[in-house]
Amino acid sequence: MTEVDIHAFIPLKSQWFHILLSLAGGEQHGYGIMQEVLNRTTGKVRLWPATLYGSIKRLIEAELIEESDERPAPELDDARRRYYRLTKLGRRVLDAECERLEELVHTIQVTRRMVTE
């Protein structure tokens, strides 16, 4: 297997970033991802089903996420749900994007201080 350049994915599309971030804490099903994004962004970002599942399909193709074979106990689950998790590559790409965004925020903060002085 050849080494993938994680920077080829950077900057991430907004919806990809939110999906990967939702999976950083563990496996999720699609509806769970939608709800987590909505809650984390206090309603500012809403991933509609077509956007979410189209993005999930492309994230799987890019090998950033994968479908999980593990399932919760049947009484706690709906058999129709598909669960997703980050791949190692997905984790590396998410880490690189978070680092990029942190640097961007730092630059903004420094610039603001310079302007107000």
Side-chain angles (χ1 to χ4, degrees):
M1 184 173 136
T2 60
E3 185 69 20
V4 177
D5 178 15
I6 60 172
H7 297 288
F9 295 100
I10 307 298
L12 279 173
K13 295 175 186 177
S14 175
Q15 64 269 25
W16 284 28
F17 175 73
H18 284 290
I19 292 167
L20 294 180
L21 194 58
S22 291
L23 295 174
E27 297 180 3
Q28 286 262 26
H29 53 79
Y31 184 74
I33 294 169
M34 284 190 332
Q35 289 304 116
E36 183 174 324
V37 170
L38 195 61
N39 291 336
R40 184 177 354 98
T41 64
T42 58
K44 292 178 184 83
V45 177
R46 180 182 299 270
L47 295 177
W48 297 101
T51 300
L52 173 70
Y53 290 104
S55 294
I56 285 174
K57 179 179 184 257
R58 287 185 284 289
L59 286 164
I60 289 171
E61 290 168 355
E63 299 181 357
L64 299 181
I65 67 173
E66 61 191 3
E67 196 169 328
S68 174
D69 294 331
E70 296 180 28
R71 307 289 302 189
E75 62 274 6
L76 302 174
D77 191 30
D78 182 335
R80 297 170 292 180
R81 286 186 178 152
R82 293 183 180 177
Y83 286 78
Y84 305 96
R85 65 176 165 229
L86 284 177
T87 61
K88 288 180 183 177
L89 174 61
R91 172 74 63 187
R92 290 177 47 225
V93 168
L94 178 61
D95 289 346
E97 179 68 349
C98 288
E99 189 174 304
R100 183 188 75 84
L101 292 171
E102 287 170 346
E103 289 170 6
L104 183 60
V105 168
H106 175 73
T107 301
I108 290 167
Q109 291 170 338
V110 167
T111 303
R112 280 188 175 166
R113 275 188 294 239
M114 289 171 47
V115 168
T116 59
E117 291 178 352

